[in-house]
Amino acid sequence: MTHRPHHRRLALAAAGLLAGLASPAMAQESPKFELPVTCAVGTDCFVQQLPDMAAGPETADPFCGGATYDGHDGIDIRVRSMRDVAGGVPVVASAPGTVKGGRDAMPDRLASTPEARAAVAKVECGNGVVIDHGNGWETQYCHMRRGSVAVKTGDRVETGTKLGEIGASGMAEFPHVHLSVRRNGEKLDPVTGHAVGSGCVADTTEAATLFAPDAAAVLARSTTAILDLGLSDAAVDYDRLVVEGGPAAPKAGGASSIVWGWFANLRAGDTIAFRMTGPTGEVFYEGSSEPLPGNKAAYSAFAGRKRPLTPGRWTVSIEVIRDGVAAVRGERAIDIAA
Ligand SMILES: [Zn+2]
């Protein structure tokens, strides 16, 4: 009897050795992927879309939410606007490997019209890089800024090696990097480790992330975000936000006093609560939107009063109310010059 534990340990050790030598088992071992960006997710850049795990025309992100669209096969991490792109936001290798191919000459042009979309229909990735991580594992990085790609075919890269910069080349309606992961040609959702289109997981314990713990923690957070908020003296145009970023604070005067917000991944039924506090501390405006009729991947909204802005320090705050509680909240103090 006293020998049994010893025998059992030997048997386990032998099984482990065999598994380690067998090549099919090796091929299943995932590299531990890191995020393909160095920007602060949730502050300077944002998770906009995840893979679509629903097989048919329905959509479901990896955790059965709405942060995806039909047929999407990767993770989109965005910056706010083309102004951020001009500043240069690095895209980096998610794991060590060898550069398999790339493209760098396509223009950064938001695919916001049918004509612009048609022009990139056959080159949706835009400026991209593919990295071979060995054992059948590949990552692909898309939509990089023209002229930013910093590696060439055959280059060895390590985790964090700069590949290029976030841009809007190819099929990009907002500036972002798209990361997709493949194993032996099969598209995988790196958040759950499951094949793209194979179904979402309502219970997160069923996920087997391909990401290193710090990256996995970032991607497990809610994708609902306030991209920006501020004060204006006129209506705010969504199409300009994605090009220029949020408008600078106006001077005092003007026709109206407006609080505006810019959002990622709002859900049907969400309401937006706005509040403006004037320089003397009085609540100048407080109000809520109607519940949203559908999910909104990216959205802007504003509210306020037809009265001029007065000089001094204002405070604007916005809450996204979901199921009766604030899902996200943003607040900013803004100085209005005379
Ligand atoms: Zn994408």
Side-chain angles (χ1 to χ4, degrees), residues 49-50 69 72-77 142-143 171 174 176-179:
Q49 312 272 13
L50 295 168
Y69 61 89
H72 192 232
D73 66 6
I75 294 176
D76 292 345
I77 300 178
C142 295
H143 314 304
M171 194 72 85
F174 47 90
H176 69 285
V177 59
H178 168 113
L179 170 73

Side-chain angles (χ1 to χ4, degrees), residues 27-28 61 84-85 90 95 107 114 135 137 149 176 178 197 201 209 231 238-239 252 259 261 266 305 324 338:
Q28 300 305 311
D61 74 27
D84 296 336
V85 169
N135 295 319
W137 290 93
V149 174
H176 69 285
H178 168 113
V201 293
T209 185
L231 264 181
Y238 174 79
D239 292 334
V259 50
L266 300 183
R305 294 169 67 184

